[in-house]
Amino acid sequence: MLTKEQIAQRIAQEVENGQYINLGIGIPTLVANYIPSHLDVVLQSENGLLGIGPFPTEDQIDPDLINAGKQTITMVPGSALFNSSESFAMIRGGHVHLTILGAMEVSENGDIANWKIPGKMVKGMGGAMDLVASAKNIIVAMQHCSKDGQSKLLPSCSLPITGIRCVKKIVSDLAVLEVDPKGGFILKERAPGVSVEEIKAKTAGKLIIEGEIPEMRFD
Amino acid sequence: MINKTVKDAREAVADIPSGAFLMMGGFGLSGIPENCIAALLEKDIKNLTIVSNNAGVEDFGIGLLLKKRMVKKMISSYVGENAEFERQLLSGELEVDLIPQGTLAERVRAGGAGIPAFFTPAGVGTEVAEGKEIREFDGKEYLMERWLRADFSLVKAWKGDTAGNLIFRGTARNFNPMMAAAGKITIAEVEELVPAGELDPNQIHTPGIYVQRIFQGKDYEKRIEQRTVSKK
């Protein structure tokens, strides 16, 4: 089973040179720590920044500079600042190449639920609905099962959904899976030490297994 | 040049009545109108509707207005930082419209720009789309969203001049420029107020035409929600 950091590390392998990338709150934020330094990419913050840098040192802290998770950040050289409608213009306009976000549930046709648990949790969708409705490529970082062991990869979402038929790839603590446009999770890689049988048992939606499934590599 | 200056926050918000429809700039606690919120707290008004991306935290920002039960309804995209908000919402004491952040920003922008409605892909197929017109453009579905306009918009900028021109700083800009344009009366509080003519016209983010009242705020706390630091 992968740790949160390892999920982020595996997702970082999906990043390509020249991409503009939006990272969601939680595990997706950690992806920034593992993007290889030889790649030139730009991280977008929905609250109005292209060019998120590392967290500040104590003496660099600036309350006027935060990310979507309200964490203090810095800007890399060449950054640009803008307002919220401009920010979502670049998101909806398809200018952001890759979106990485967390999920409570994903369905086998690529629907995602990550914003509401009726009667229990109402935090709001933030920018997630705009992002999933528009991004060219969406990768989900998530735990394969809930804390009480229920699969979060389902035939259809039980929670209110955030977007329909939008998830392309999932990296969970157990596996890397692609969403088949015809419906189903295509198993691509296993976490080190995790068997195909275990992934099968913990995936409630349709799982497609073709040939030998390799273990993930962390070089 | 028209002089928009008022003395302070108290004077700026003096005529905001109960039941007013307000917009407040800010993302999290960054770029919120701290002085105006403090002045509203001193007033005996209630049943406010507030458009703001977030709802502050329990003891700061809009959270203070919620605690005093001055708010009837919030129109926001994310309220996860405020446990009191979640409590009032789940118990039915507070009304809330949760709408996608990009839709919120564009509804406010549209309000200021005189565009009554527009189509967006955000929320298609979700409960956000319930009761809304859906139309297909070039093979993809979009839903219709309407503009938002306010009785009063309360915005916060870094620098401003007496003509109401505003310059923002860092990610504290966020919703402030669109909200400035979408308010019938826009009140701008700034960290530094200078005479008209001192700001470089090339650098203005919000032209003064959108601002009716401006004052230099004081004692900015600029509270940080998530203090994340790296060593070295």
Side-chain angles (χ1 to χ4, degrees), chain B residues 160-193:
Chain B
D161 67 20
T162 52
N165 297 306
L166 304 177
I167 297 175
F168 302 93
R169 186 173 176 278
T171 53
R173 190 182 323 181
N174 54 65
F175 285 80
N176 283 294
M178 291 83 70
M179 289 183 170
K184 277 190 207 110
I185 294 175
T186 290
I187 301 166
E189 55 175 272
V190 298
E191 290 175 53
E192 187 186 352
L193 182 65

PDB file of all heavy atoms in Angstrom, chain B residues 160-193:
ATOM      1  N   GLY B 160      -4.887  52.737  -3.135  1.00  0.00           N
ATOM      2  CA  GLY B 160      -5.968  53.383  -3.871  1.00  0.00           C
ATOM      3  C   GLY B 160      -5.741  54.876  -3.868  1.00  0.00           C
ATOM      4  O   GLY B 160      -4.935  55.396  -3.082  1.00  0.00           O
ATOM      5  N   ASP B 161      -6.444  55.579  -4.773  1.00  0.00           N
ATOM      6  CA  ASP B 161      -6.357  57.038  -4.736  1.00  0.00           C
ATOM      7  C   ASP B 161      -7.743  57.622  -4.493  1.00  0.00           C
ATOM      8  O   ASP B 161      -8.749  56.909  -4.490  1.00  0.00           O
ATOM      9  CB  ASP B 161      -5.682  57.598  -5.988  1.00  0.00           C
ATOM     10  CG  ASP B 161      -6.489  57.398  -7.259  1.00  0.00           C
ATOM     11  OD1 ASP B 161      -7.710  57.178  -7.168  1.00  0.00           O
ATOM     12  OD2 ASP B 161      -5.889  57.468  -8.348  1.00  0.00           O
ATOM     13  N   THR B 162      -7.780  58.938  -4.287  1.00  0.00           N
ATOM     14  CA  THR B 162      -9.033  59.595  -3.913  1.00  0.00           C
ATOM     15  C   THR B 162     -10.083  59.522  -5.032  1.00  0.00           C
ATOM     16  O   THR B 162     -11.265  59.725  -4.774  1.00  0.00           O
ATOM     17  CB  THR B 162      -8.767  61.071  -3.555  1.00  0.00           C
ATOM     18  OG1 THR B 162      -8.027  61.671  -4.633  1.00  0.00           O
ATOM     19  CG2 THR B 162      -7.968  61.183  -2.276  1.00  0.00           C
ATOM     20  N   ALA B 163      -9.650  59.186  -6.256  1.00  0.00           N
ATOM     21  CA  ALA B 163     -10.595  59.022  -7.361  1.00  0.00           C
ATOM     22  C   ALA B 163     -11.182  57.609  -7.393  1.00  0.00           C
ATOM     23  O   ALA B 163     -12.028  57.316  -8.243  1.00  0.00           O
ATOM     24  CB  ALA B 163      -9.897  59.323  -8.686  1.00  0.00           C
ATOM     25  N   GLY B 164     -10.714  56.742  -6.493  1.00  0.00           N
ATOM     26  CA  GLY B 164     -11.261  55.387  -6.409  1.00  0.00           C
ATOM     27  C   GLY B 164     -10.504  54.347  -7.217  1.00  0.00           C
ATOM     28  O   GLY B 164     -10.903  53.186  -7.274  1.00  0.00           O
ATOM     29  N   ASN B 165      -9.414  54.740  -7.853  1.00  0.00           N
ATOM     30  CA  ASN B 165      -8.597  53.758  -8.585  1.00  0.00           C
ATOM     31  C   ASN B 165      -7.907  52.819  -7.596  1.00  0.00           C
ATOM     32  O   ASN B 165      -7.417  53.266  -6.552  1.00  0.00           O
ATOM     33  CB  ASN B 165      -7.540  54.479  -9.427  1.00  0.00           C
ATOM     34  CG  ASN B 165      -8.155  55.358 -10.492  1.00  0.00           C
ATOM     35  OD1 ASN B 165      -8.962  54.893 -11.293  1.00  0.00           O
ATOM     36  ND2 ASN B 165      -7.794  56.638 -10.491  1.00  0.00           N
ATOM     37  N   LEU B 166      -7.858  51.528  -7.954  1.00  0.00           N
ATOM     38  CA  LEU B 166      -7.337  50.535  -7.010  1.00  0.00           C
ATOM     39  C   LEU B 166      -6.229  49.686  -7.617  1.00  0.00           C
ATOM     40  O   LEU B 166      -6.269  49.330  -8.792  1.00  0.00           O
ATOM     41  CB  LEU B 166      -8.469  49.592  -6.564  1.00  0.00           C
ATOM     42  CG  LEU B 166      -9.718  50.219  -5.944  1.00  0.00           C
ATOM     43  CD1 LEU B 166     -10.737  49.125  -5.636  1.00  0.00           C
ATOM     44  CD2 LEU B 166      -9.365  51.011  -4.688  1.00  0.00           C
ATOM     45  N   ILE B 167      -5.269  49.344  -6.747  1.00  0.00           N
ATOM     46  CA  ILE B 167      -4.216  48.386  -7.092  1.00  0.00           C
ATOM     47  C   ILE B 167      -4.215  47.311  -6.012  1.00  0.00           C
ATOM     48  O   ILE B 167      -4.219  47.621  -4.816  1.00  0.00           O
ATOM     49  CB  ILE B 167      -2.832  49.065  -7.162  1.00  0.00           C
ATOM     50  CG1 ILE B 167      -2.819  50.108  -8.283  1.00  0.00           C
ATOM     51  CG2 ILE B 167      -1.730  48.036  -7.372  1.00  0.00           C
ATOM     52  CD1 ILE B 167      -1.521  50.916  -8.362  1.00  0.00           C
ATOM     53  N   PHE B 168      -4.222  46.059  -6.453  1.00  0.00           N
ATOM     54  CA  PHE B 168      -4.214  44.954  -5.508  1.00  0.00           C
ATOM     55  C   PHE B 168      -2.812  44.360  -5.416  1.00  0.00           C
ATOM     56  O   PHE B 168      -1.949  44.660  -6.228  1.00  0.00           O
ATOM     57  CB  PHE B 168      -5.224  43.891  -5.948  1.00  0.00           C
ATOM     58  CG  PHE B 168      -6.621  44.432  -6.059  1.00  0.00           C
ATOM     59  CD1 PHE B 168      -7.094  44.920  -7.277  1.00  0.00           C
ATOM     60  CD2 PHE B 168      -7.442  44.500  -4.951  1.00  0.00           C
ATOM     61  CE1 PHE B 168      -8.373  45.446  -7.381  1.00  0.00           C
ATOM     62  CE2 PHE B 168      -8.727  45.024  -5.051  1.00  0.00           C
ATOM     63  CZ  PHE B 168      -9.196  45.496  -6.262  1.00  0.00           C
ATOM     64  N   ARG B 169      -2.638  43.476  -4.426  1.00  0.00           N
ATOM     65  CA  ARG B 169      -1.314  42.888  -4.213  1.00  0.00           C
ATOM     66  C   ARG B 169      -1.436  41.377  -4.060  1.00  0.00           C
ATOM     67  O   ARG B 169      -2.276  40.888  -3.299  1.00  0.00           O
ATOM     68  CB  ARG B 169      -0.694  43.497  -2.949  1.00  0.00           C
ATOM     69  CG  ARG B 169       0.724  43.064  -2.705  1.00  0.00           C
ATOM     70  CD  ARG B 169       1.367  43.817  -1.547  1.00  0.00           C
ATOM     71  NE  ARG B 169       2.693  43.273  -1.313  1.00  0.00           N
ATOM     72  CZ  ARG B 169       2.921  42.177  -0.610  1.00  0.00           C
ATOM     73  NH1 ARG B 169       1.919  41.563  -0.023  1.00  0.00           N
ATOM     74  NH2 ARG B 169       4.146  41.707  -0.476  1.00  0.00           N
ATOM     75  N   GLY B 170      -0.566  40.643  -4.769  1.00  0.00           N
ATOM     76  CA  GLY B 170      -0.503  39.190  -4.625  1.00  0.00           C
ATOM     77  C   GLY B 170      -1.835  38.533  -4.929  1.00  0.00           C
ATOM     78  O   GLY B 170      -2.612  39.000  -5.776  1.00  0.00           O
ATOM     79  N   THR B 171      -2.122  37.448  -4.211  1.00  0.00           N
ATOM     80  CA  THR B 171      -3.379  36.729  -4.424  1.00  0.00           C
ATOM     81  C   THR B 171      -4.515  37.337  -3.606  1.00  0.00           C
ATOM     82  O   THR B 171      -5.599  36.762  -3.524  1.00  0.00           O
ATOM     83  CB  THR B 171      -3.227  35.238  -4.067  1.00  0.00           C
ATOM     84  OG1 THR B 171      -2.690  35.135  -2.746  1.00  0.00           O
ATOM     85  CG2 THR B 171      -2.307  34.525  -5.029  1.00  0.00           C
ATOM     86  N   ALA B 172      -4.286  38.516  -3.013  1.00  0.00           N
ATOM     87  CA  ALA B 172      -5.365  39.219  -2.314  1.00  0.00           C
ATOM     88  C   ALA B 172      -6.293  39.924  -3.302  1.00  0.00           C
ATOM     89  O   ALA B 172      -7.288  40.519  -2.904  1.00  0.00           O
ATOM     90  CB  ALA B 172      -4.782  40.217  -1.314  1.00  0.00           C
ATOM     91  N   ARG B 173      -5.983  39.847  -4.591  1.00  0.00           N
ATOM     92  CA  ARG B 173      -6.846  40.466  -5.596  1.00  0.00           C
ATOM     93  C   ARG B 173      -8.153  39.667  -5.735  1.00  0.00           C
ATOM     94  O   ARG B 173      -9.236  40.210  -5.600  1.00  0.00           O
ATOM     95  CB  ARG B 173      -6.129  40.520  -6.952  1.00  0.00           C
ATOM     96  CG  ARG B 173      -6.886  41.354  -7.954  1.00  0.00           C
ATOM     97  CD  ARG B 173      -6.248  41.396  -9.345  1.00  0.00           C
ATOM     98  NE  ARG B 173      -4.795  41.428  -9.381  1.00  0.00           N
ATOM     99  CZ  ARG B 173      -4.073  41.486 -10.497  1.00  0.00           C
ATOM    100  NH1 ARG B 173      -4.677  41.527 -11.668  1.00  0.00           N
ATOM    101  NH2 ARG B 173      -2.756  41.498 -10.462  1.00  0.00           N
ATOM    102  N   ASN B 174      -8.018  38.394  -6.040  1.00  0.00           N
ATOM    103  CA  ASN B 174      -9.116  37.414  -6.175  1.00  0.00           C
ATOM    104  C   ASN B 174     -10.446  38.001  -6.682  1.00  0.00           C
ATOM    105  O   ASN B 174     -10.532  38.422  -7.828  1.00  0.00           O
ATOM    106  CB  ASN B 174      -9.255  36.571  -4.899  1.00  0.00           C
ATOM    107  CG  ASN B 174      -9.403  37.368  -3.620  1.00  0.00           C
ATOM    108  OD1 ASN B 174     -10.383  38.072  -3.439  1.00  0.00           O
ATOM    109  ND2 ASN B 174      -8.413  37.237  -2.731  1.00  0.00           N
ATOM    110  N   PHE B 175     -11.491  38.001  -5.866  1.00  0.00           N
ATOM    111  CA  PHE B 175     -12.823  38.429  -6.311  1.00  0.00           C
ATOM    112  C   PHE B 175     -13.026  39.945  -6.260  1.00  0.00           C
ATOM    113  O   PHE B 175     -14.066  40.452  -6.692  1.00  0.00           O
ATOM    114  CB  PHE B 175     -13.915  37.755  -5.461  1.00  0.00           C
ATOM    115  CG  PHE B 175     -14.124  36.303  -5.788  1.00  0.00           C
ATOM    116  CD1 PHE B 175     -13.271  35.340  -5.286  1.00  0.00           C
ATOM    117  CD2 PHE B 175     -15.167  35.900  -6.611  1.00  0.00           C
ATOM    118  CE1 PHE B 175     -13.448  33.995  -5.590  1.00  0.00           C
ATOM    119  CE2 PHE B 175     -15.360  34.570  -6.916  1.00  0.00           C
ATOM    120  CZ  PHE B 175     -14.494  33.608  -6.409  1.00  0.00           C
ATOM    121  N   ASN B 176     -12.088  40.667  -5.667  1.00  0.00           N
ATOM    122  CA  ASN B 176     -12.307  42.095  -5.419  1.00  0.00           C
ATOM    123  C   ASN B 176     -12.618  42.923  -6.671  1.00  0.00           C
ATOM    124  O   ASN B 176     -13.567  43.710  -6.657  1.00  0.00           O
ATOM    125  CB  ASN B 176     -11.118  42.678  -4.654  1.00  0.00           C
ATOM    126  CG  ASN B 176     -11.142  42.317  -3.178  1.00  0.00           C
ATOM    127  OD1 ASN B 176     -12.044  42.749  -2.445  1.00  0.00           O
ATOM    128  ND2 ASN B 176     -10.186  41.522  -2.726  1.00  0.00           N
ATOM    129  N   PRO B 177     -11.868  42.758  -7.783  1.00  0.00           N
ATOM    130  CA  PRO B 177     -12.152  43.624  -8.932  1.00  0.00           C
ATOM    131  C   PRO B 177     -13.547  43.421  -9.521  1.00  0.00           C
ATOM    132  O   PRO B 177     -14.233  44.402  -9.848  1.00  0.00           O
ATOM    133  CB  PRO B 177     -11.079  43.207  -9.949  1.00  0.00           C
ATOM    134  CG  PRO B 177      -9.971  42.644  -9.127  1.00  0.00           C
ATOM    135  CD  PRO B 177     -10.650  41.958  -7.972  1.00  0.00           C
ATOM    136  N   MET B 178     -14.001  42.161  -9.640  1.00  0.00           N
ATOM    137  CA  MET B 178     -15.334  41.926 -10.216  1.00  0.00           C
ATOM    138  C   MET B 178     -16.420  42.433  -9.287  1.00  0.00           C
ATOM    139  O   MET B 178     -17.454  42.933  -9.721  1.00  0.00           O
ATOM    140  CB  MET B 178     -15.556  40.434 -10.489  1.00  0.00           C
ATOM    141  CG  MET B 178     -14.709  39.867 -11.594  1.00  0.00           C
ATOM    142  SD  MET B 178     -13.087  39.439 -10.971  1.00  0.00           S
ATOM    143  CE  MET B 178     -13.475  38.030  -9.959  1.00  0.00           C
ATOM    144  N   MET B 179     -16.194  42.248  -7.985  1.00  0.00           N
ATOM    145  CA  MET B 179     -17.204  42.708  -7.026  1.00  0.00           C
ATOM    146  C   MET B 179     -17.296  44.236  -7.016  1.00  0.00           C
ATOM    147  O   MET B 179     -18.384  44.786  -6.867  1.00  0.00           O
ATOM    148  CB  MET B 179     -16.897  42.162  -5.634  1.00  0.00           C
ATOM    149  CG  MET B 179     -17.168  40.661  -5.560  1.00  0.00           C
ATOM    150  SD  MET B 179     -16.894  39.999  -3.938  1.00  0.00           S
ATOM    151  CE  MET B 179     -17.603  38.346  -4.143  1.00  0.00           C
ATOM    152  N   ALA B 180     -16.155  44.887  -7.197  1.00  0.00           N
ATOM    153  CA  ALA B 180     -16.178  46.351  -7.254  1.00  0.00           C
ATOM    154  C   ALA B 180     -17.107  46.816  -8.376  1.00  0.00           C
ATOM    155  O   ALA B 180     -17.866  47.774  -8.216  1.00  0.00           O
ATOM    156  CB  ALA B 180     -14.764  46.888  -7.479  1.00  0.00           C
ATOM    157  N   ALA B 181     -17.073  46.095  -9.509  1.00  0.00           N
ATOM    158  CA  ALA B 181     -17.892  46.499 -10.651  1.00  0.00           C
ATOM    159  C   ALA B 181     -19.361  46.121 -10.480  1.00  0.00           C
ATOM    160  O   ALA B 181     -20.235  46.723 -11.105  1.00  0.00           O
ATOM    161  CB  ALA B 181     -17.338  45.875 -11.931  1.00  0.00           C
ATOM    162  N   ALA B 182     -19.635  45.110  -9.640  1.00  0.00           N
ATOM    163  CA  ALA B 182     -21.001  44.571  -9.536  1.00  0.00           C
ATOM    164  C   ALA B 182     -21.820  45.209  -8.418  1.00  0.00           C
ATOM    165  O   ALA B 182     -22.973  44.828  -8.216  1.00  0.00           O
ATOM    166  CB  ALA B 182     -20.957  43.061  -9.356  1.00  0.00           C
ATOM    167  N   GLY B 183     -21.257  46.181  -7.700  1.00  0.00           N
ATOM    168  CA  GLY B 183     -21.998  46.816  -6.615  1.00  0.00           C
ATOM    169  C   GLY B 183     -22.646  48.121  -7.059  1.00  0.00           C
ATOM    170  O   GLY B 183     -22.020  48.912  -7.751  1.00  0.00           O
ATOM    171  N   LYS B 184     -23.908  48.315  -6.659  1.00  0.00           N
ATOM    172  CA  LYS B 184     -24.536  49.627  -6.921  1.00  0.00           C
ATOM    173  C   LYS B 184     -23.733  50.692  -6.201  1.00  0.00           C
ATOM    174  O   LYS B 184     -23.469  51.764  -6.727  1.00  0.00           O
ATOM    175  CB  LYS B 184     -25.977  49.636  -6.405  1.00  0.00           C
ATOM    176  CG  LYS B 184     -26.964  49.023  -7.360  1.00  0.00           C
ATOM    177  CD  LYS B 184     -28.408  49.277  -6.893  1.00  0.00           C
ATOM    178  CE  LYS B 184     -29.309  48.176  -7.411  1.00  0.00           C
ATOM    179  NZ  LYS B 184     -29.795  47.273  -6.356  1.00  0.00           N
ATOM    180  N   ILE B 185     -23.380  50.379  -4.942  1.00  0.00           N
ATOM    181  CA  ILE B 185     -22.457  51.228  -4.201  1.00  0.00           C
ATOM    182  C   ILE B 185     -21.273  50.358  -3.794  1.00  0.00           C
ATOM    183  O   ILE B 185     -21.440  49.337  -3.136  1.00  0.00           O
ATOM    184  CB  ILE B 185     -23.124  51.827  -2.946  1.00  0.00           C
ATOM    185  CG1 ILE B 185     -24.223  52.791  -3.381  1.00  0.00           C
ATOM    186  CG2 ILE B 185     -22.082  52.511  -2.052  1.00  0.00           C
ATOM    187  CD1 ILE B 185     -25.034  53.352  -2.257  1.00  0.00           C
ATOM    188  N   THR B 186     -20.090  50.737  -4.252  1.00  0.00           N
ATOM    189  CA  THR B 186     -18.898  49.978  -3.911  1.00  0.00           C
ATOM    190  C   THR B 186     -18.037  50.777  -2.944  1.00  0.00           C
ATOM    191  O   THR B 186     -17.711  51.942  -3.189  1.00  0.00           O
ATOM    192  CB  THR B 186     -18.108  49.600  -5.179  1.00  0.00           C
ATOM    193  OG1 THR B 186     -18.858  48.626  -5.897  1.00  0.00           O
ATOM    194  CG2 THR B 186     -16.737  49.036  -4.841  1.00  0.00           C
ATOM    195  N   ILE B 187     -17.728  50.105  -1.842  1.00  0.00           N
ATOM    196  CA  ILE B 187     -16.897  50.710  -0.804  1.00  0.00           C
ATOM    197  C   ILE B 187     -15.534  50.025  -0.843  1.00  0.00           C
ATOM    198  O   ILE B 187     -15.452  48.806  -0.690  1.00  0.00           O
ATOM    199  CB  ILE B 187     -17.540  50.509   0.590  1.00  0.00           C
ATOM    200  CG1 ILE B 187     -18.935  51.154   0.621  1.00  0.00           C
ATOM    201  CG2 ILE B 187     -16.631  51.044   1.687  1.00  0.00           C
ATOM    202  CD1 ILE B 187     -19.778  50.732   1.818  1.00  0.00           C
ATOM    203  N   ALA B 188     -14.505  50.807  -1.074  1.00  0.00           N
ATOM    204  CA  ALA B 188     -13.157  50.236  -1.130  1.00  0.00           C
ATOM    205  C   ALA B 188     -12.367  50.689   0.085  1.00  0.00           C
ATOM    206  O   ALA B 188     -12.291  51.881   0.378  1.00  0.00           O
ATOM    207  CB  ALA B 188     -12.453  50.674  -2.408  1.00  0.00           C
ATOM    208  N   GLU B 189     -11.787  49.721   0.808  1.00  0.00           N
ATOM    209  CA  GLU B 189     -10.849  50.065   1.862  1.00  0.00           C
ATOM    210  C   GLU B 189      -9.459  49.687   1.392  1.00  0.00           C
ATOM    211  O   GLU B 189      -9.259  48.649   0.764  1.00  0.00           O
ATOM    212  CB  GLU B 189     -11.199  49.381   3.185  1.00  0.00           C
ATOM    213  CG  GLU B 189     -11.320  47.871   3.146  1.00  0.00           C
ATOM    214  CD  GLU B 189     -11.549  47.295   4.549  1.00  0.00           C
ATOM    215  OE1 GLU B 189     -10.558  47.008   5.263  1.00  0.00           O
ATOM    216  OE2 GLU B 189     -12.715  47.167   4.924  1.00  0.00           O
ATOM    217  N   VAL B 190      -8.501  50.570   1.653  1.00  0.00           N
ATOM    218  CA  VAL B 190      -7.150  50.355   1.128  1.00  0.00           C
ATOM    219  C   VAL B 190      -6.120  50.527   2.238  1.00  0.00           C
ATOM    220  O   VAL B 190      -6.365  51.213   3.228  1.00  0.00           O
ATOM    221  CB  VAL B 190      -6.841  51.341  -0.029  1.00  0.00           C
ATOM    222  CG1 VAL B 190      -7.801  51.117  -1.191  1.00  0.00           C
ATOM    223  CG2 VAL B 190      -6.917  52.789   0.436  1.00  0.00           C
ATOM    224  N   GLU B 191      -4.981  49.866   2.050  1.00  0.00           N
ATOM    225  CA  GLU B 191      -3.926  49.998   3.058  1.00  0.00           C
ATOM    226  C   GLU B 191      -3.259  51.365   2.969  1.00  0.00           C
ATOM    227  O   GLU B 191      -2.773  51.881   3.959  1.00  0.00           O
ATOM    228  CB  GLU B 191      -2.894  48.879   2.883  1.00  0.00           C
ATOM    229  CG  GLU B 191      -3.440  47.528   3.276  1.00  0.00           C
ATOM    230  CD  GLU B 191      -2.461  46.406   2.999  1.00  0.00           C
ATOM    231  OE1 GLU B 191      -1.311  46.485   3.452  1.00  0.00           O
ATOM    232  OE2 GLU B 191      -2.868  45.443   2.307  1.00  0.00           O
ATOM    233  N   GLU B 192      -3.225  51.887   1.739  1.00  0.00           N
ATOM    234  CA  GLU B 192      -2.601  53.191   1.557  1.00  0.00           C
ATOM    235  C   GLU B 192      -3.421  54.010   0.579  1.00  0.00           C
ATOM    236  O   GLU B 192      -3.630  53.604  -0.562  1.00  0.00           O
ATOM    237  CB  GLU B 192      -1.164  53.020   1.032  1.00  0.00           C
ATOM    238  CG  GLU B 192      -0.401  54.323   0.981  1.00  0.00           C
ATOM    239  CD  GLU B 192       0.972  54.149   0.323  1.00  0.00           C
ATOM    240  OE1 GLU B 192       1.394  53.018   0.050  1.00  0.00           O
ATOM    241  OE2 GLU B 192       1.615  55.179   0.072  1.00  0.00           O
ATOM    242  N   LEU B 193      -3.907  55.163   1.034  1.00  0.00           N
ATOM    243  CA  LEU B 193      -4.710  56.046   0.179  1.00  0.00           C
ATOM    244  C   LEU B 193      -3.867  57.256  -0.209  1.00  0.00           C
ATOM    245  O   LEU B 193      -3.285  57.919   0.664  1.00  0.00           O
ATOM    246  CB  LEU B 193      -5.968  56.497   0.936  1.00  0.00           C
ATOM    247  CG  LEU B 193      -6.933  57.396   0.169  1.00  0.00           C
ATOM    248  CD1 LEU B 193      -7.550  56.648  -1.012  1.00  0.00           C
ATOM    249  CD2 LEU B 193      -8.039  57.900   1.100  1.00  0.00           C
TER     250      LEU B 193
END
